[in-house]
Amino acid sequence: MIVTEYELRANWHKTKDKLIILPPGSVITPSARDFIRSKGIDVQIEGNGLQDIHKKTFSSANQSIDRSNRLQSFQEPNVLRETRTQAIAQAQTSISSGVKPEHMTHLRTGALVAKTHPVIAYRGQLDLFQCELVEAQGFFLQAGEEELILKLEEISVLCRELMVSEVKQEPFQWATLIGLTPEELRERSHHPKKYFGIDHTPLSYSHGPIAAKLHHLRAKSREVELYANRAFTDETGACSRTDLIQALNRLSSAFYILACQVRSRKTQEVNEKRVPLGTSNRHIHLSQVDMEALFGKNYTLTVQKELSQPGQFAAQETVTLVGPKGSLEKVRVLGPVRKNTQVEISVTDCYKLGVEPVIRDSGQHEGTPGLEIAGPVGNVKLEAGVLVASRHIHLHSDDAKEWSLEDGDRVRVKVESQRPMVYEDVLIRVSDQYRKEMHLDMDEANAALIDATSQGKLMGV
């Protein structure tokens, strides 16, 4: 049993006992001896009566060696006993000459112990754990988990403080860890369904490498706690450093909470309604009559490339749009032909042409302006059908059913990009011929700095 000043003070102030009874082989730290002398406390070793605390040091390395020698002498053969006796003699000579044997180390100033001492083993495990924290931070850096790196840095600071508190024999005090009190850490780790929307489940590869790494750190923290219990708990179950044990116990709770948060985040990502983004530049849909007026009788469009929506294509043919104030050349024709001609341009294009920007769903031409269309064979004067297309999402009927949406619904969409933006009043268009995609015109796409990695996330109807 290791008797520390911290534990003595904590217990003595409750009882004011003048006699302490200790089990055989107890180790009393120097500061604990000073406390005993200052309070006039008598010390009794079980089976040996009262001890003179001023003359006898229970933590001496010589006494530990003598006890070990007495125990082994009843069991070892003569050759082993002689070898052990020589080793003990060498150790005693080294200690008396002031030279520390290689197999021993200082527990604290003036207290020399074997390196197998439980407290030394605990310190080693705490050192190893801090190394694993640093390795994990490197792993999280590669994964882009900056928030987790900061959490682990906070845990590293706590571990260093644990070490200092034990070495200096000072009480360990802490208020929060990863933003939670000891009570909150325990509560959240016991009820993940309540706080993170997930159940207690066995660790699985399906949870991902980030959660797996956090569970590894949790297991290691519990191993450190086990070594701490061996170091500070005697055979009767009395613990001299319950403060350290409690902090280590809550540390494992913290790692479990972080793993639950990662799993919850992954679950939410799976359940999120996400759509790829498509940028729609200015273009025109032609009726058969207008196409023949522009390109010639019985003319058919030439496919340049297929578009994302099945059956739709960009044609090689282009036209010129002529408005009251300007014109736009090489405006792409999209196929196939439609019942009515429709020009889809941006607000910026409207200003250049000198036409009023009117936002309409596709096919709704009432109240829209017109302009002149110039082709290689002839011109067409369009009375209406020039519009700024409403931002919209194409959904296959199966996707719409899964998301509980119908054709004509309006939703809010957050565009995740270099400049995230939330778009209101986004039209849902449903067909068994559609492929899931959100369409924005050039003005809208440029405003959000859309690139190939950008996505839209539905936020509500």
Side-chain angles (χ1 to χ4, degrees):
M1 178 179 179
I2 301 174
V3 182
T4 66
E5 179 188 4
Y6 172 79
E7 191 69 18
L8 281 175
R9 286 184 180 276
N11 293 324
W12 187 82
H13 284 294
K14 299 175 184 176
T15 61
K16 307 292 185 181
D17 290 336
K18 291 298 182 179
L19 175 64
I20 298 176
I21 301 176
L22 302 175
S26 295
V27 176
I28 302 179
T29 65
S31 59
R33 289 199 303 275
D34 292 341
F35 178 79
I36 289 171
R37 295 188 188 108
S38 67
K39 300 301 181 182
I41 301 171
D42 290 327
V43 177
Q44 178 180 331
I45 300 298
E46 292 177 354
N48 291 329
L50 292 176
Q51 306 296 311
D52 189 344
I53 195 65
H54 296 280
K55 294 182 179 181
K56 200 161 193 175
T57 303
F58 301 106
S59 61
S60 80
N62 286 343
Q63 191 178 36
S64 298
I65 294 172
D66 289 341
R67 283 199 303 272
S68 176
N69 184 37
R70 287 197 299 272
L71 289 171
Q72 294 293 333
S73 64
F74 293 105
Q75 306 169 19
E76 296 179 333
N78 290 335
V79 175
L80 295 179
R81 192 178 305 136
E82 290 174 4
T83 302
R84 179 175 292 278
T85 301
Q86 292 173 2
I88 292 171
Q90 292 173 359
Q92 290 174 333
T93 301
S94 297
I95 293 170
S96 62
S97 64
V99 178
K100 180 178 73 66
E102 291 296 334
H103 68 284
M104 303 188 78
T105 188
H106 284 96
L107 183 66
R108 293 179 185 84
T109 302
L112 198 62
V113 298
K115 291 182 179 179
T116 55
H117 191 285
V119 174
I120 302 302
Y122 158 70
R123 292 177 185 174
Q125 288 296 312
L126 192 55
D127 278 338
L128 178 59
F129 178 59
Q130 292 183 74
C131 291
E132 295 205 16
L133 285 173
V134 173
E135 290 179 349
Q137 285 179 304
F139 177 81
F140 292 147
L141 179 63
Q142 295 296 321
E145 294 284 350
E146 297 181 1
E147 186 174 347
L148 282 178
I149 292 173
L150 295 177
K151 298 292 187 185
L152 262 59
E153 189 63 30
E154 182 183 351
I155 291 171
S156 294
V157 171
L158 179 130
C159 289
R160 291 194 291 270
E161 292 173 348
L162 280 169
M163 182 73 80
V164 170
S165 171
E166 182 275 312
V167 171
K168 291 186 175 182
Q169 295 183 276
E170 298 173 346
F172 183 72
Q173 298 178 338
W174 60 292
T176 62
L177 184 63
I178 63 169
L180 301 172
T181 65
E183 294 75 19
E184 289 171 336
L185 286 167
R186 183 179 180 87
E187 166 72 13
R188 282 163 173 73
S189 66
H190 280 67
H191 303 284
K193 184 69 173 178
K194 176 180 178 182
Y195 292 97
F196 312 111
I198 58 173
D199 292 312
H200 289 293
T201 54
L203 180 61
S204 168
Y205 73 92
S206 64
H207 298 160
I210 305 300
K213 178 65 72 173
L214 290 167
H215 276 286
H216 174 90
L217 292 172
R218 180 194 181 210
K220 186 60 188 179
S221 72
R222 296 177 80 170
E223 187 177 13
V224 177
E225 181 187 354
L226 177 61
Y227 272 83
N229 273 286
R230 290 174 180 170
F232 306 118
T233 304
D234 64 21
E235 62 274 8
T236 68
C239 180
S240 60
R241 292 306 303 262
T242 54
D243 52 343
L244 302 183
I245 303 298
Q246 186 234 29
L248 289 167
N249 180 269
R250 296 303 186 273
L251 185 56
S252 87
S253 298
F255 283 118
Y256 187 67
I257 287 171
L258 292 176
C260 287
Q261 289 174 343
V262 169
R263 285 180 53 207
S264 176
R265 181 184 67 194
K266 186 175 180 180
T267 300
Q268 290 174 1
E269 289 174 354
V270 171
N271 294 332
E272 284 176 349
K273 300 180 179 69
R274 291 179 175 270
V275 294
L277 300 177
T279 302
S280 179
N281 201 352
R282 65 179 76 101
H283 61 272
I284 184 171
H285 301 277
L286 293 174
S287 67
Q288 183 65 38
V289 172
D290 288 343
M291 183 176 66
E292 292 184 4
L294 295 168
F295 294 98
K297 188 171 179 62
N298 298 322
Y299 192 87
T300 58
L301 296 173
T302 305
V303 177
Q304 182 184 63
K305 69 173 182 178
E306 300 291 338
L307 299 179
S308 59
Q309 296 306 311
Q312 304 290 310
F313 63 89
Q316 291 183 4
E317 289 77 11
T318 63
V319 297
T320 298
L321 304 180
V322 181
K325 292 185 179 180
S327 63
L328 295 172
E329 298 180 346
K330 296 183 178 180
V331 176
R332 185 71 54 190
V333 178
L334 300 190
V337 294
R338 292 191 177 184
K339 180 180 179 180
N340 296 306
T341 295
Q342 178 173 291
V343 176
E344 297 183 34
I345 56 179
S346 69
V347 173
T348 300
D349 293 335
C350 289
Y351 294 149
K352 184 174 182 178
L353 292 170
V355 298
E356 181 184 358
V358 178
I359 299 173
R360 287 287 189 272
D361 298 342
S362 181
Q364 295 182 355
H365 296 174
E366 185 179 353
T368 60
L371 46 64
E372 187 172 350
I373 308 169
V377 173
N379 292 357
V380 171
K381 185 170 181 60
L382 194 66
E383 298 297 331
V386 179
L387 55 87
V388 177
S390 301
R391 54 183 75 116
H392 57 276
I393 295 175
H394 292 278
L395 281 183
H396 189 275
S397 52
D398 291 340
D399 294 321
K401 182 178 180 181
E402 180 184 346
W403 289 358
S404 300
L405 293 172
E406 296 180 356
D407 188 69
D409 284 344
R410 306 275 175 168
V411 298
R412 298 171 65 239
V413 179
K414 179 179 180 180
V415 170
E416 297 176 335
S417 63
Q418 297 180 61
R419 184 191 283 173
M421 301 183 73
V422 176
Y423 290 99
E424 304 281 349
D425 200 33
V426 180
L427 174 66
I428 297 295
R429 299 178 62 187
V430 180
S431 169
D432 57 7
Q433 300 299 311
Y434 286 159
R435 182 177 298 161
K436 184 191 300 180
E437 188 175 48
M438 178 174 175
H439 285 177
L440 300 173
D441 66 30
M442 290 299 294
D443 285 352
E444 293 172 317
N446 289 337
L449 292 177
I450 299 295
D451 59 28
T453 65
S454 302
Q455 286 189 317
K457 183 172 70 174
L458 274 68
M459 301 181 65
V461 178

